[in-house]
Amino acid sequence: MSQPTSNDPQPVSAKAPKAPAKPLARKNRVLRTSLWMSLAIVVTVLAYLFWGRDRLPATEVLQVLSGQSVPGTSFIILSDRLPRVAVGALAGAGLGISGALFQRWLGNPLASPDVIGVGYGASAAAVLAMLILGYTDWKLNVFALAGGLIVAAVIYWLSASGKRTGPRLILAGLAIGAMLQALIQYLLSRAEMNTASDAMHWLTGSLSSSNWNSALILLISLLVLGLFLLPLVLRQLKMLELGEDSAAALGVNVNRARILLVFVAVAMGAIPIAITGPLAFVAFLAGPISAVLSRGPINIPLAGLTGATLVIVANFFAANLFADLALPVGVITGAFGAPFLIWILVRANSTGSGA
């Protein structure tokens, strides 16, 4: 019998080039989802500019967008609607990235800042700064960030021992969050009526006080975090997902990587909260929705884009859902998020997987 020659068919090696198809298909799905999300943002923004709360003449809106000055319409577009859109998109992106980082790290869809107590830490610190110290400027942002970081450190310290860090962190976060809610209620009960009313409006999550200064603060903060720290966190996160022992074997300082990840995730969520108040469930929803739409694991940039889309769409509904009432955006996101949370819990029970 003759030996096979180099011209003989090689069925095994012929299939080898098809191996990268799955990662390539996943990237294509992420790209398609990103394009659809971007299209949804553009369409919703245009609809809000023309029909946000009060309908404006199309010719006047187009004139303003082309750089012309139209009395009344220019003020509504440039000083109200566009700042709301800018702040909403940036806040939603930050919250989406924050929630997705926690969810990816802990492998649990419930591990978002507004569930594990980090959001309450930022809110409690901001309310304290507003009601007790009278801060309304950049100091409020500093307090919100510090509050979120302190609560994250406490929760992390309570849950770091043992092997089941994820479930322990969520339980500790729920307990800390309940205590912080009580603190917020106490502060509100001791405040003057007008001050407490302003704080309550802020706690619902609103874009009503949005301006270009707020948008600039958000833009600079998120750019610094996103350009300088987030890429490093994402590289380390991929290795942490292999397991802490494997990550350490690959040269990762696990404790340092955890601390940096928590800092970036908290900062991405706390800074938007200081500007808009706690937009309920945006951080919780963005990651799982992006994963469902792209049919893959949570993609951090896509989660940020999804968060921006959620807030932009919620802002449009908040302005137009009722003819005689403008709702805070947080009311709409909360109404979307509560049924989704129930769906995740039911789905986890039906599949037998832990939430």
Side-chain angles (χ1 to χ4, degrees), residues 85-112:
V85 166
V87 170
L90 291 168
L95 290 168
I97 292 172
S98 175
L101 285 173
F102 278 115
Q103 290 163 339
R104 275 274 301 269
W105 174 40
L106 299 174
N108 193 316
L110 295 180
S112 68

Side-chain angles (χ1 to χ4, degrees), residues 41-63:
I41 289 177
V42 171
V43 171
T44 308
V45 168
L46 290 175
Y48 178 66
L49 292 179
F50 284 92
W51 299 293
R53 196 78 197 109
D54 297 309
R55 185 167 184 171
L56 297 174
T59 53
E60 294 185 2
V61 174
L62 292 174
Q63 287 174 346

Side-chain angles (χ1 to χ4, degrees), residues 266-284:
V266 171
M268 282 282 186
I271 295 173
I273 287 174
I275 299 291
T276 65
L279 298 175
F281 289 115
V282 174
F284 169 72

Side-chain angles (χ1 to χ4, degrees), residues 77-87 209-218:
I77 295 294
L78 300 178
S79 299
D80 180 45
R81 295 187 182 179
L82 279 179
R84 286 194 189 212
V85 166
V87 170
S209 60
S210 299
N211 53 54
W212 291 115
N213 288 334
S214 300
L216 184 61
I217 291 172
L218 272 175

Side-chain angles (χ1 to χ4, degrees), residues 155-207:
I155 295 171
Y156 183 80
W157 174 72
L158 291 173
S159 61
S161 61
K163 295 183 178 179
R164 294 175 58 82
T165 301
R168 289 165 62 90
L169 189 144
I170 293 172
L171 291 175
L174 290 172
I176 297 294
M179 290 190 290
L180 291 171
Q181 280 183 295
L183 174 61
I184 291 172
Q185 294 301 320
Y186 171 76
L187 292 173
L188 290 173
S189 68
R190 303 291 294 178
E192 296 181 1
M193 184 66 69
N194 291 337
T195 309
S197 177
D198 293 339
M200 281 295 298
H201 183 73
W202 179 85
L203 283 169
T204 59
S206 174
L207 301 178

Side-chain angles (χ1 to χ4, degrees), residues 21 23 28 32 38 56 65 68 96 101 105 111 122 137 152 165 187-188 198 210 213 227 255 265 298 303 305 333 337:
N28 289 336
R32 284 197 300 270
S38 301
L56 297 174
L65 294 179
Q68 301 180 43
L101 285 173
W105 174 40
D137 52 7
T165 301
L187 292 173
L188 290 173
D198 293 339
S210 299
N213 288 334
L227 294 178
N255 289 331
I298 293 176
L305 184 60
T333 59

